[in-house]
Amino acid sequence: MNAGHLFVLGATHHTAPLAVREQLSLGADSAAALAAQVAKLDGMREFTLLNTCNRIEFYGVAVDSSALARVQAAFCARQQFDPAEFAQFQLSLRNADAVRHLLEVAAGIDSQMLGETEIFGQVKAAYAAAQAHGYTGPILNRVFQKAFQAAKHVRTNTAISAGQVSVANVAVDLAQTIFGRLDGTRTLLVGAGEIGEKTARAFQSRGAGSLTVASRSLEHAMQLATALGASALPYEQRAARLAEFDIVVCATSAPATVLSGADAAAAMRRRPARPLLFVDLALPRDVEAAVAELENVFLYNLDDLARIADENRAAREAELTKCRALLSERAAALWEHIEPRLSDLAGTADRSAPSPAETASQRSSSDANAMPSPRA
Amino acid sequence: MFAGLNDRSWLWIAAGFYLAGLLLGTVSLLRSNRQSNALINTVIALGYAAQFIGLGLRGRAVGGCPLGNTFEIFQFTAWSAITLYLIVGVTFRLSLLGYFTSCLAAALTLVSLAIPAWDATRRAHIFSNPWIELHAALAFFSYGVFALLALTALMLILRHYSLKSKHLGGWFSFLPSILELDHISLRLLMTGVIFMSASLAGGAVYWLRDPDSVTASKIIITVAIWLAYLVALILRLRGRLLAKRFAWTCVVLFAAALISLGPINASRNPRALAPPPHAVPR
């Protein structure tokens, strides 16, 4: 007798290069259509589609192994991708391995940016969408809920998500180290380039207070200020009005420094009790090194921030073994619990167990409420 | 089980809890885990309760505030610092402050318990009236406030060092922000100066009535400490003493205040020395 299968099928940044992932990526509408198609496949009992920029994964429960081939065929057909080529890039895991994989994905340890937490929300959204459409059942419900618990446990009990690993976020962390809450801080962005904008957005996303943009071109400064909901400052006033700001992010392409030690010293005389942070992201540097010598003034350049990001990344990597051990333990316990259910599933394969499509149809006929559109 | 314990036994139990808080925090830091404020606060609160009982028993046995020898003064200062921590720490949730407070309380209580000579004798009937008792209690309470201030100042120094040297990882990452530490340090300095001023004002009234009751050395030392803290506060408020220099000043002043306890205690108006009663609950 064949046992039921729990499987994961797809492609991730570990198995497929960016060019292939681009071809395999699904838009929201395509993902919803594919999900509806997979739901009707023979032998499928439950499934969830996780569709992010770095991975497309089908988590499914099927009565036999042939269902997996049917999912693959449906996916390749929709994406017009050669199935033989897909086999080279695919991720295909079954049963206990599939369970462990989901736990690792939810915990962020399978992510390109190790320990990132965004994936947790993405897995939750994917599961919620599948559940709303009636695509999940008792087995996937349990597996996903346990995966969320395991992810939270790992994040709480290890340092896998500690510290920031991008330069922009390291700069924000740094500011919090000095000012605590950022809502009362005033930030000056000198330079209207991409790096500066990215960093300014990172500050805003973490609740920074007012933002002012100064650029050699006032027009550029005003454009960026409008896009960021900030105000603009004439470039030539940057030094004179330095004392008004707590955080100064410099990212110009100027050939020489744009803020000197004397500028910073003059600013500090007007605001001695409040610290001043300079984040210099420019090459060549925008802020004179002598600024770092001033009391209550802190200067971090690109190298400093990159080194901190590298240290944080290394610290996260050092936690990997611990995380894997914790997750393996939980995955094994979970698998022990669901394996008998999968065996029971195979026993009922010949009987008329409802497919996800039938479940969804029954649910929609008994529930007048419209289902939310799927997100993956 | 605890009914027959005498005051020193309770104070040993308190020291044990403070030491446990210290060990707990150290293990947590070595493992680079964020500390559980709730756990450390519980351990400190248990120590505080035991110390409260111990000091209460001693106070009841001597018929007043237990400030009759160096042992009692150290215990009372540690207790005052913990009192303030339980207000400040819970209100402002400064991470690591609990750990540092455990360090200080463990050090003060264990050292005072470990030196039997400090508690071999005590001055009997040191307080001729309740106002003098209040004056002494306020003075030593202000020392407790300054003890906590020294801790937040020490944390401020470490935070400055970590930022200037660009070492933000490891246990430095658990330190509160510069602004939080600076704000809380300023508030503690103001609180300490207010308590000490009130104590000195009360003491001055008594001294004016009976100038022979207090030695000149005690007055000079106490007023010098008070003046030093007052000047530090004025300079801080005027923006003349900031950041690291402010923090170092607070640490050095507390060291001086702690050292001054010996001379102050020794220079108190001589009274008959008597062995302390090892109080047990009635």
Side-chain angles (χ1 to χ4, degrees), chain A residues 157 174 176-180 272-275 291-301 304 307-308 322, chain B residues 31-33 159-160 162-169 176-180 182-183 236 239 242-245:
Chain A
N157 292 290
L174 199 54
Q176 285 181 325
T177 298
I178 295 169
F179 299 101
R274 206 161 162 85
V291 161
E293 307 301 321
L294 296 170
E295 180 86 350
N296 233 4
V297 177
F298 305 95
L299 168 62
Y300 280 70
N301 61 36
D304 299 326
R307 186 184 51 75
I308 294 167
K322 191 176 169 188
Chain B
R31 288 183 177 175
S32 291
N33 287 342
R159 181 41 100 195
H160 267 276
S162 84
L163 276 162
K164 283 284 188 187
S165 63
K166 298 175 181 173
H167 289 108
L168 303 171
S177 73
I178 283 191
L179 274 196
E180 280 174 312
D182 191 51
H183 287 167
R236 171 64 186 80
L242 296 164
K244 262 191 324 184
R245 277 186 302 156

Side-chain angles (χ1 to χ4, degrees), chain B residues 7 58-59 61-73 117-127 265 268 271-278:
Chain B
D7 52 357
R58 175 66 67 100
V62 301
C65 202
L67 292 166
N69 58 29
T70 309
F71 166 78
E72 290 176 7
I73 289 170
W118 284 6
D119 197 28
T121 56
R122 72 184 306 281
R123 284 169 177 79
H125 312 297
I126 48 176
F127 303 121
N265 189 37
R268 286 202 274 185
R271 304 273 182 184
L273 292 173
H278 288 292

Side-chain angles (χ1 to χ4, degrees), chain A residues 178-222:
Chain A
I178 295 169
F179 299 101
R181 291 168 57 99
L182 296 180
D183 51 359
T185 58
R186 293 153 300 177
T187 305
L188 172 65
L189 171 62
V190 186
E194 192 187 337
I195 297 175
E197 181 183 348
K198 224 173 172 179
T199 310
R201 287 194 189 279
F203 271 97
Q204 286 186 320
S205 72
R206 305 263 290 273
S210 71
L211 175 69
T212 304
V213 183
S215 170
R216 277 176 291 183
S217 155
L218 185 60
E219 192 188 336
H220 284 163
M222 289 177 82

